[in-house]
Amino acid sequence: MASPAGKGLVAYNAAISRCSRAALHWRALELFTEMRARGFRADEYTLPPILNSAALLRVPPGELHGLLLRAGLAAHLHVANALVDAYAKLSRLGAARALFDEMPRRDVVTWTSLVTGLARAGSHGSAVRVYRDMVSSGIFPDEFAVAAVLSSCAGSTALEMGRSVHSAAVQSGHEPFLSVGNSLVSMYAKTGSLRDARTVFDVMRTRCAITWTALIVGYAQNGRGSESLAVYAEMIRSGCRPDYVTFVGLLFACSHAGLVDAGRAHFQSMQSEHGVAPGPDHYACMVDLLGRAGRLDEAVELLDRSPAELDATVWKALLAACRTHRNATLAERAAEMVWRLDPTDAVPYVMLSNLYSRARRWADVARVRALMKSRGISKEPGCSWVEVSGATHVFHAEDIDHPRTAEIYQKVAEMTERIRARGYLPDTEWALQDEAPEGREKGLAHHGERLAVAFGLLAVPASAPIRVYKNLRVCGDCHTAIKMVAAAYGREIILRDSNCFHHMKDGDCSCGDYW
């Protein structure tokens, strides 16, 4: 028969576990504190749920880590797994990895905790590498690991790896899981493979708001706003309730398709029909929608009467609209608001500098750059990349580091010659340097995305689309030039910039030149 103390510990463990599973995390911690105050020592059954609750409450696990070490519980696999998971949930990835590496024995839970933690923290390349190591170690991935690595394939634009994971998921029977299906729809949509995203969506046995939203956002980001609205209508008919993120995707679709009236209507319906209060993301989409349509006064009026607390994202959307329509006065107001909300953000400096550059206001360009330098702000360097046979090739403007540099620049010259024969004239307003026209044209021709396209023409089989990814927005001149290159070479070029996908073929772009 168990001692009274033993019975007490069992009761506490059961209560703590129930509270943790029911998301009553503060109560779990209270019970743990009470248990210890009564003299009960935590055992291997106490620590996993309490570590989970502490991590979800953003409580550092250092004290619990020390406790389990002193109690000699680190050798218990499920305790060590819970500790790895806790550090991963708190984005303490170095600590999670160090624990992982020290463990003499690991199971699928250990590996999955690390993969999901890395994916959640945005360390997508590391998540993919750990998943590969997991498979190589003979560990059979569960549905949670599969869903996590698919989200990292989406985040790192690793389409071929995503296809490989999909194939393995089908073979292992994980495809029917809702989380895996949702991750597949999102992965294919975020890597520009809409046909695959729709195929997965159509065969899913069950769907939730995440499923529908992934497809709505996917169509929107790939320049197919009308399809986004059609999927939303289908979602409503199915009885699935839209959420906050659904409306972000929907308004984004309206913005990128120029559907001003539809965007207004959906914005108005959010709270009145669906009980979703508009937040900063929705206001940013509305500002983008109105700004693209040239309705800057209406956008400002919307912000002035907004009951929501607006963040820097909203003002950056207004700043982008001002850049498009060359409204320097309003742009300066928007930039000041961004600086007030996030003094370290480089975007307003870059956007103002670009606006002044296009207006040939070189003194103002110099002033903004000097201000940026004096405040210690550095901009993210632009880069573009292409994946060929599992290897990623990265290009910056004027890049000369690639082993095939000579061939690439020769191909760029050939591309330029071919599209000039089709009527291409460089739009030097997109060049950001105050120099002679010839130098500005040369600078445009050697932007990273053009070097990436040239390499794609050299290395990607003619039967496959050339997929180029860019971390910043594509400039207007590169958009025009690459669209013409696609026509001149009879290729499909899929360019994903920081804003959306551009599917270019036969001289047309999916964005309708409206991005």
Side-chain angles (χ1 to χ4, degrees):
M1 182 179 289
S3 67
K7 283 186 177 179
L9 179 60
V10 169
Y12 271 114
N13 283 347
I16 288 169
S17 181
R18 283 196 300 271
C19 287
S20 184
R21 285 199 303 269
L24 301 172
H25 300 301
W26 279 118
R27 180 58 181 152
L29 263 63
E30 288 170 356
L31 285 168
F32 179 69
T33 303
E34 179 185 306
M35 182 195 91
R36 295 187 69 201
R38 291 186 60 190
F40 294 110
R41 293 182 63 184
D43 65 10
E44 66 269 26
Y45 301 104
T46 318
L47 286 164
I50 207 67
L51 280 164
N52 178 61
S53 286
L56 290 171
L57 290 171
R58 313 302 297 170
V59 175
E63 184 179 346
L64 292 169
H65 190 174
L67 187 153
L68 71 87
L69 288 174
R70 289 192 299 274
L73 297 172
H76 289 271
L77 180 61
H78 60 288
V79 174
N81 283 347
L83 189 57
V84 170
D85 186 60
Y87 278 121
K89 281 189 171 83
L90 290 165
S91 298
R92 298 273 302 277
L93 300 178
R97 182 75 212 214
L99 277 167
F100 177 91
D101 290 339
E102 291 171 4
M103 290 173 67
R105 190 163 61 91
R106 306 172 190 132
D107 63 6
V108 65
V109 176
T110 327
W111 286 92
T112 298
S113 295
L114 189 58
V115 171
T116 54
L118 291 165
R120 194 185 302 115
S123 297
H124 299 305
S126 296
V128 171
R129 285 191 292 274
V130 170
Y131 178 86
R132 281 176 169 152
D133 291 342
M134 177 183 186
V135 174
S136 298
S137 299
I139 300 294
F140 191 71
D142 61 15
E143 67 271 21
F144 305 107
V146 171
V149 77
L150 284 169
S151 72
S152 282
C153 289
S156 59
T157 63
L159 175 59
E160 294 313 311
M161 179 64 183
R163 290 193 196 280
S164 175
V165 174
H166 184 183
S167 177
V170 172
Q171 292 172 20
S172 59
H174 291 319
E175 193 180 27
F177 285 96
L178 181 60
S179 60
V180 173
N182 288 344
S183 295
L184 281 168
V185 173
S186 181
M187 184 275 293
Y188 281 124
K190 288 181 178 179
T191 52
S193 299
L194 276 181
R195 187 177 301 167
D196 292 315
R198 184 74 210 211
T199 298
V200 172
F201 177 90
D202 287 341
V203 300
M204 287 179 68
R205 298 172 190 171
T206 57
R207 300 171 185 142
C208 64
I210 294 171
T211 325
W212 291 95
T213 299
L215 195 60
I216 288 167
V217 172
Y219 277 127
Q221 291 181 327
N222 284 272
R224 293 168 64 173
S226 297
E227 284 94 332
S228 282
L229 270 61
V231 172
Y232 175 73
E234 189 181 345
M235 175 184 185
I236 298 301
R237 286 194 298 272
S238 77
C240 187
R241 294 188 61 183
D243 60 16
Y244 184 99
V245 182
T246 308
F247 282 105
V248 174
L250 195 61
L251 295 174
F252 183 95
C254 292
S255 170
H256 286 251
L259 303 172
V260 176
D261 292 338
R264 280 205 203 94
H266 286 302
F267 184 75
Q268 293 297 328
S269 75
M270 285 179 60
Q271 192 145 22
S272 62
E273 295 180 24
H274 303 285
V276 179
D281 298 302
H282 305 107
Y283 279 97
C285 287
M286 286 302 293
V287 167
D288 192 52
L289 170 69
L290 296 169
R292 287 168 183 275
R295 304 184 186 190
L296 293 178
D297 292 341
E298 190 176 340
V300 172
E301 184 183 343
L302 177 70
L303 298 186
D304 287 342
R305 66 171 191 267
S306 163
E309 185 175 341
L310 304 178
D311 63 12
T313 305
V314 179
W315 294 103
K316 284 191 282 189
L318 182 61
L319 183 53
C322 292
R323 181 182 64 174
T324 299
H325 297 286
R326 307 189 187 193
N327 187 326
T329 303
L330 186 56
E332 287 159 359
R333 176 193 166 188
E336 287 292 343
M337 290 301 298
V338 179
W339 287 328
R340 189 179 305 173
L341 292 163
D342 187 359
T344 65
D345 196 328
V347 169
Y349 299 93
V350 175
M351 284 193 175
L352 272 182
S353 178
N354 290 355
L355 188 153
Y356 292 142
S357 294
R358 295 189 69 187
R360 303 292 198 274
R361 291 170 56 174
W362 303 115
D364 286 319
V365 172
R367 175 177 57 81
V368 170
R369 288 180 178 172
L371 182 63
M372 188 175 180
K373 186 176 181 180
S374 69
R375 294 177 177 175
I377 307 297
S378 58
K379 69 181 283 287
E380 180 183 11
C383 68
S384 300
W385 61 97
V386 181
E387 185 179 341
V388 178
S389 301
T392 301
H393 301 260
V394 182
F395 299 91
H396 299 85
E398 307 282 354
D399 206 327
I400 56 171
D401 292 331
H402 196 276
R404 299 179 67 178
T405 291
E407 292 177 83
I408 290 167
Y409 274 82
Q410 186 177 356
K411 182 60 74 173
V412 167
E414 178 189 291
M415 284 161 41
T416 305
E417 186 177 337
R418 283 203 191 186
I419 61 176
R420 278 187 181 276
R422 289 171 171 256
Y424 165 72
L425 291 173
D427 183 356
T428 56
E429 286 192 358
W430 290 97
L432 304 182
Q433 292 81 28
D434 181 15
E435 56 185 25
E438 183 179 342
R440 292 163 69 83
E441 290 181 18
K442 183 180 178 182
L444 289 170
H446 295 159
H447 278 186
E449 52 265 55
R450 301 228 205 151
L451 299 178
V453 167
F455 177 71
L457 289 171
L458 290 167
V460 176
S463 58
I466 297 170
R467 297 177 183 273
V468 176
Y469 301 93
K470 182 174 174 64
N471 63 332
L472 305 177
R473 277 190 79 178
V474 62
C475 83
D477 184 68
C478 282
H479 185 271
T480 299
I482 294 171
K483 187 173 63 171
M484 295 180 74
V485 166
Y489 286 83
R491 299 293 297 266
E492 180 183 6
I493 298 175
I494 301 173
L495 169 65
R496 193 213 71 179
D497 68 5
S498 62
N499 203 35
C500 65
F501 276 92
H502 304 268
H503 295 255
M504 301 174 176
K505 190 175 182 180
D506 299 329
D508 294 318
C509 181
S510 59
C511 74
D513 301 334
Y514 189 76
W515 82 99

